[in-house]
């Protein structure tokens, strides 16, 4: 167990005198005073830099991690929400290093820009677990990564579309597609775009009219869809790189007096499969959703316990995922969804 150095520790040591607590967490309070938190030495201290709360998926992910890394389970979790800003994540990681946490869990908003701060964590001897999205760094700089196979998800969406169009007798027809992309440079954006494009390239009659960044949020998804609807008269398919952008797209389509879903003019494909996406499929607004499982907490807990026991863990760990469309019994599946 590490002990913080510096002024704060001086104060903390005076505070706890000869007590058994040896791990001390400290942060600036709103008054500018330093708050000292005494952490039981048996707990594993984890600093988690979360991206933000941009989507239903993200909120489910946060809940899952918080529910797993509890004191009852042997953890002391320091949670930092970066409000969708990489600079806040870098600050959070640096503060975790200063606090001498046992492990850092980082969900990197985009893949680039992490070399320096992850090198600092390595130099401090703190293992880093990348969670959800990848960082484009030397693989020596992180212990392992847990997340989704976004490229496979994108490919599955493309294959589903090909099959759907064929069954509808539209496999020779010109198909005009637009994409509402996730945050540019994020693993989920890169993977889903690339995976879908691999299928698109095999279909000469499919045309990608335009791809626009909707930042994984409902508001931006709606705004971007409004722009695309004003620009292109004929749109056959909208690929939404997450559910919340799909909800925004559906609103924009409705407001423009257009229709979507299995009985409408525009096919909507989405990713995540949060509960509200089941409602949208049941309502006939979205055609198919490619699942991305946010319940990382239990797997993360397992990884941390293995590392703590000195075991090696798989460098790359994928979540299990499937897809759902309106031909399925969505009402009963929805009942079993945890998010
Ligand atoms: O699909 C989206 C979220 O990185 C897989 O981020 C994650 C994505 C998820 O905001 O809803």
């Amino acid at each position: 167990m590490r002990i913080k150095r510096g002024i704060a520790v001086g104060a903390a040591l005076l505070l706890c005198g000869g007590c058994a607590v040896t791990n001390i967490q400290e942060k600036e309070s709103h008054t500018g005073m330093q708050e000292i938190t005494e952490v039981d030495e048996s707990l594993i201290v984890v600093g988690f830099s979360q991206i933000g709360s941009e989507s239903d998926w993200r909120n489910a992910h946060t809940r899952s991690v918080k529910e797993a890394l509890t004191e009852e389970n042997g953890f002391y979790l320091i949670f930092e929400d970066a409000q969708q800003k990489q600079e806040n994540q870098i600050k959070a990681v640096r503060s975790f290093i200063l606090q001498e946490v046992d492990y850092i869990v980082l969900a990197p908003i985009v893949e680039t820009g992490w070399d320096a701060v992850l090198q600092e964590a390595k130099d401090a001897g703190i293992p880093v677990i990348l969670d959800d999205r990848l960082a484009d760094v030397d693989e020596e700089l992180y212990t392992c990564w847990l997340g989704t196979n976004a490229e496979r998800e994108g490919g599955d969406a493309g294959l589903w579309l090909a099959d759907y169009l064929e069954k509808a007798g539209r496999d020779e027809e010109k198909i005009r597609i637009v994409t509402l992309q996730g945050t540019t440079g994020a693993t989920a954006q890169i993977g889903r775009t690339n995976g879908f494009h691999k299928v698109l390239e095999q279909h000469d009659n499919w045309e990608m009219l335009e791809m626009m960044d909707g930042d994984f949020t409902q508001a931006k998804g709606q705004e971007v869809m409004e722009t695309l609807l004003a620009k292109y008269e004929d749109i056959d398919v909208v690929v939404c790189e997450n559910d919340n952008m799909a909800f925004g797209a559906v609103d924009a389509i409705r407001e423009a007096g257009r229709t979507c879903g299995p009985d409408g003019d525009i096919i909507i494909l989405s990713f995540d499969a949060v509960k509200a996406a089941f409602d949208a499929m049941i309502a006939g607004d979205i055609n198919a959703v490619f699942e991305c499982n946010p319940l990382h907490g239990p797997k993360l807990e397992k990884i941390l316990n293995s590392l703590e026991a000195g075991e090696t863990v798989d460098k790359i760990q994928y979540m299990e995922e499937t897809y759902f469309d309106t031909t399925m019994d969505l009402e009963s599946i929805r009942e079993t969804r945890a998010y």
Side-chain angles (χ1 to χ4, degrees), residues 226-288:
E226 282 163 6
T227 307
L228 292 167
L229 284 165
K231 196 161 167 190
Y232 302 101
E233 212 167 293
D234 290 320
I235 296 175
D236 300 296
V237 181
V238 187
V239 179
C240 307
E241 288 184 345
N242 84 343
D243 285 340
N244 289 83
M245 290 192 294
F247 306 149
V250 169
D251 288 344
I253 289 168
R254 256 207 225 106
E255 273 166 31
R258 310 278 301 274
T259 57
C260 55
D263 299 321
D265 291 337
I266 304 176
I267 297 167
I268 309 276
L269 306 182
S270 181
F271 297 88
D272 284 352
V274 297
K275 266 192 176 161
F278 280 83
D279 296 336
M281 280 190 285
I282 292 165
D285 291 334
I286 295 182
N287 295 68

Side-chain angles (χ1 to χ4, degrees), residues 18-137:
C19 71
V21 176
T22 57
N23 197 327
I24 297 151
Q25 300 304 314
E26 159 254 336
K27 66 176 180 193
E28 291 274 312
S29 76
H30 61 282
T31 58
M33 299 285 287
Q34 288 189 319
E35 287 176 357
I36 310 290
T37 307
E38 297 172 8
V39 180
D40 189 303
E41 67 176 314
S42 65
L43 298 176
I44 303 168
V45 180
V46 180
F48 172 33
S49 169
Q50 176 61 294
I51 292 168
S53 53
E54 74 281 4
S55 64
D56 290 16
W57 188 98
R58 184 67 49 202
N59 296 338
H61 179 248
T62 297
R63 270 199 309 277
S64 174
V65 174
K66 284 186 174 172
E67 278 165 21
L69 305 188
T70 59
E71 295 201 11
E72 298 77 70
N73 289 344
F75 296 93
Y76 182 86
L77 179 66
I78 309 169
F79 177 84
E80 291 289 347
D81 177 339
Q83 315 268 338
Q84 294 258 84
K85 289 199 175 74
Q86 183 171 31
E87 65 198 75
N88 290 344
Q89 289 203 286
I90 292 173
K91 268 190 214 147
V93 172
R94 292 211 165 110
S95 88
F96 297 152
I97 296 171
L98 278 174
Q99 292 177 84
E100 301 186 352
V101 300
D102 296 313
Y103 297 91
I104 292 172
V105 176
L106 168 66
I109 182 160
V110 291
E111 294 195 349
T112 53
W114 300 103
D115 304 79
V117 76
L118 293 190
Q119 186 63 53
E120 288 164 32
K122 189 173 167 53
D123 294 345
I126 303 173
V128 172
I129 295 158
L130 297 179
D131 184 75
D132 165 30
R133 299 183 188 166
L134 272 160
D136 184 12
V137 291

Side-chain angles (χ1 to χ4, degrees), residues 136-194:
D136 184 12
V137 291
D138 188 308
E139 54 172 62
E140 292 283 292
L141 295 185
Y142 60 94
T143 305
C144 64
W145 170 81
L146 167 67
T148 197
N149 190 337
E151 180 153 338
R152 202 221 49 233
E153 289 170 2
D156 285 351
L159 294 173
W160 183 94
L161 180 63
D163 184 59
Y164 181 82
L165 291 171
E166 194 183 326
K167 285 184 181 140
R170 298 177 65 188
D171 45 335
E172 303 288 316
E173 212 177 276
K174 177 100 188 150
I175 303 295
R176 297 169 192 85
I177 308 170
V178 294
T179 299
L180 309 192
Q181 291 183 295
T183 309
T184 305
T187 305
Q189 177 274 309
I190 298 169
R192 288 169 188 164
T193 299
N194 289 349

